Amino acid sequence: MADIEKNKEMQENTRKDVGSRLHGDKVIWVIFFLLSLISIALIYSASSSLAYMKGSTNFAILMKQIKFVVGGFAAMFICYKIPPRWYRTFALVSLIVAIALLLLTLVAGVKTNDAQRWLSIGGIQFQPTEIAKIAIVLYLARALEIMTIDSFKSFFIKIILPIGLCCVLILVGSVSAAMYMGLICFIILYIAGIKLSYLLKTIGLALAGGLLLILLHVSFGLFPRMDTAIERIKRFTQDEQTIGAENMDKRALQRLADETLQADMAQIAVKEGGLLGKGPGKSTQRYVLPHPYSDYIYSIIVEEYGLWGAFLVMMLYVSLFYRCVLIVKDCRTVFSAITVGGLGAVIMVQAMLHILVNVGIFPVTGHTLPLISLGGTSFIIISCAFGIILSISRTKEDAQAAIDEKDRLEKEQKRQEREQRKLEETNSQEQLDEEYGKA
């Protein structure tokens, strides 16, 4: 009996030790681990087509994803241990590095699936666009904290120009990613309290700039992904009668079917999932759906785990964003507040875009599901975003703990002073009584 109680006490102490080492928002820690575990389970199930194409096995791809998860945790933990003042110091440098990498991608990028968005350095292949996501948020947080914006001219030079340049470079490899980051930046600027007139002028400049880029593409073909984006929007907004499918020959109909294959197969997977799903590992659409392990992994979640499982996954992202909002409310600096809010929006908006595409509410964009889809660069960078959020949360928590400790020490000191006064009064009264007795 004594041994059982001793074991329970040791387990309880172990849990306390782990909890004391992992500072920051505990809910965000749990969300990170849950999404990582879901990723491992889903990749093993959804990677059958990829294993067949590469002449490999599901288990081999699973082990690869586990390496990404371990690497992501390491990256997250490193970013978590870095003090926020370091991110503040290197915010501008991070944007310069991101722009340099995007420029290098234009010159020496690796072309995959008709898109030159990958860069290979030292045998490591990654997407600079993923790095740019965090760099843009850090730059905006630092710029809005220290820069004086007293006119639209200064706002344009200090904010719009560097961010616009970064988005244009992203546009070369992915139109949807550029628009997605533009939306994130607009949300950050609006929440930061930038004048409405500046934001309206920014929208006008963005529309004029977009029209200019389209004209440049039509004339010189500068943005190869723009044609793909336009075609995807057309296919999404037009029905078969508008396209004229009834008048097409068999070859034309087959080409049209090939173009809409991804969306069609995803819709079938969602419909077959129903309320409870087919069960883990029992998806049938994973064999015919292009990229079921990345761009369309949410449809596999719906097919295997049903609407309830898909809802729970979506709520993890919603909960993450809610926790970020709570952290923002307690932040004492502009940099910390915008960084946490911006990175939370980056993860949340990307997840919602992926989900909306998979259920057929939004045109195909190619965005992965954060921390669940197969992928090295995306997983590591999103893990870093989690680490930065937790770093700021930890610092806030440590600062509050220091305040609480200071209050506790002050209360303890006052208590000791009161006891000392009482003791002195008691001793003084005893001396008086003793002298009175002698007299």
Side-chain angles (χ1 to χ4, degrees):
M1 191 68 180
D3 292 338
I4 295 175
E5 292 180 356
K6 187 176 180 180
N7 290 333
K8 288 182 178 179
E9 184 179 352
M10 291 177 62
Q11 291 175 0
E12 183 66 25
N13 292 334
T14 302
R15 284 195 293 269
K16 289 181 179 180
D17 290 341
V18 173
S20 64
R21 291 171 187 169
L22 299 179
H23 296 281
D25 194 298
K26 301 299 188 293
V27 175
I28 295 181
W29 278 103
V30 172
I31 291 173
F32 177 85
F33 285 116
L34 286 177
L35 290 174
S36 299
L37 292 175
I38 292 171
S39 172
I40 293 173
L42 261 295
I43 292 302
Y44 182 75
S45 172
S47 59
S48 298
S49 59
L50 180 64
Y52 176 78
M53 286 187 296
K54 292 193 172 184
S56 182
T57 63
N58 291 47
F59 183 76
I61 296 174
L62 172 65
M63 294 307 297
K64 183 179 180 181
Q65 183 67 6
I66 290 175
K67 290 179 182 178
F68 289 151
V69 171
V70 174
F73 177 78
M76 184 270 291
F77 192 78
I78 291 171
C79 292
Y80 154 76
K81 297 297 289 185
I82 295 175
R85 65 177 181 274
W86 285 33
Y87 298 115
R88 180 182 282 105
T89 302
F90 294 102
L92 177 58
V93 176
S94 67
L95 185 68
I96 294 173
V97 170
I99 292 175
L101 291 174
L102 289 169
L103 287 171
L104 186 59
T105 305
L106 298 180
V107 179
V110 178
K111 197 169 185 178
T112 305
N113 296 328
D114 298 325
Q116 190 167 316
R117 63 181 70 156
W118 294 84
L119 194 63
S120 182
I121 298 178
I124 300 175
Q125 192 167 303
F126 61 95
Q127 291 190 61
T129 299
E130 299 295 329
I131 297 174
K133 291 177 182 179
I134 293 183
I136 288 174
V137 173
L138 292 178
Y139 174 80
L140 277 178
R142 185 57 173 159
L144 293 172
E145 182 180 54
I146 65 172
M147 294 182 181
T148 302
I149 300 174
D150 51 7
S151 66
F152 182 75
K153 180 180 179 181
S154 63
F155 175 70
F156 178 80
I157 294 173
K158 298 173 181 177
I159 303 295
I160 301 301
L161 201 59
I163 298 303
L165 173 61
C166 205
C167 287
V168 170
L169 293 175
I170 294 173
L171 181 68
V172 178
S174 175
V175 175
S176 61
M179 296 177 67
Y180 153 70
M181 282 312 302
L183 174 63
I184 295 295
C185 293
F186 186 85
I187 293 172
I188 291 174
L189 293 173
Y190 177 78
I191 295 175
I194 297 298
K195 289 183 179 180
L196 183 60
S197 60
Y198 292 0
L199 296 178
L200 292 176
K201 290 178 181 178
T202 301
I203 293 174
L205 286 174
L207 293 174
L211 180 60
L212 176 61
L213 292 175
I214 292 174
L215 292 174
L216 288 174
H217 173 67
V218 172
S219 302
F220 305 102
L222 298 178
F223 306 101
R225 298 299 295 175
M226 192 169 289
D227 291 333
T228 303
I230 294 172
E231 287 300 319
R232 285 176 174 177
I233 294 173
K234 284 182 178 179
R235 289 196 298 269
F236 182 78
T237 56
Q238 295 178 342
D239 55 24
E240 291 186 358
Q241 292 181 352
T242 306
I243 297 173
E246 69 277 2
N247 299 322
M248 293 181 179
D249 57 23
K250 291 184 178 180
R251 291 184 179 180
L253 285 172
Q254 185 60 49
R255 284 197 299 270
L256 178 61
D258 291 341
E259 290 173 353
T260 60
L261 176 64
Q262 297 181 86
D264 294 340
M265 294 299 103
Q267 289 298 298
I268 293 173
V270 170
K271 290 178 181 177
E272 290 184 352
L275 185 63
L276 301 177
K278 296 178 178 179
K282 295 182 179 180
S283 167
T284 54
Q285 293 305 112
R286 59 182 172 175
Y287 299 109
V288 293
L289 179 64
H291 310 296
Y293 44 84
S294 57
D295 296 353
Y296 285 92
I297 198 167
Y298 190 76
S299 61
I300 303 300
I301 294 174
V302 180
E303 185 182 9
E304 292 190 351
Y305 298 91
L307 293 178
W308 285 110
F311 177 76
L312 290 176
V313 170
M314 183 172 63
M315 289 309 298
L316 287 176
Y317 295 105
V318 175
S319 300
L320 168 67
F321 188 70
Y322 175 71
R323 299 304 301 183
C324 289
V325 171
L326 295 181
I327 295 172
V328 168
K329 288 182 178 180
D330 292 334
C331 286
R332 300 185 178 184
T333 65
V334 174
F335 177 83
S336 296
I338 293 179
T339 299
V340 172
L343 292 178
V346 165
I347 299 170
M348 175 69 173
V349 173
Q350 181 174 328
M352 291 302 108
L353 283 174
H354 177 96
I355 292 171
L356 292 175
V357 168
N358 276 246
V359 298
I361 300 177
F362 206 76
V364 177
T365 60
H367 289 290
T368 58
L369 192 58
L371 287 190
I372 292 183
S373 295
L374 176 68
T377 306
S378 178
F379 198 101
I380 298 297
I381 297 301
I382 294 297
S383 298
C384 290
F386 269 84
I388 295 172
I389 293 171
L390 287 169
S391 173
I392 293 174
S393 174
R394 173 177 64 89
T395 304
K396 176 184 71 67
E397 185 181 84
D398 291 345
Q400 186 61 45
I403 293 173
D404 294 341
E405 181 65 15
K406 182 180 179 181
D407 292 340
R408 188 190 67 79
L409 291 175
E410 289 178 352
K411 290 179 181 179
E412 180 66 20
Q413 184 178 1
K414 289 179 181 179
R415 185 187 65 80
Q416 292 178 357
E417 289 175 354
R418 287 196 300 269
E419 291 180 353
Q420 183 65 28
R421 285 196 299 269
K422 287 182 180 179
L423 181 61
E424 291 176 354
E425 291 174 358
T426 302
N427 292 336
S428 177
Q429 184 63 40
E430 290 177 353
Q431 290 178 359
L432 289 174
D433 292 342
E434 185 178 350
E435 291 176 359
Y436 180 77
K438 289 180 179 180

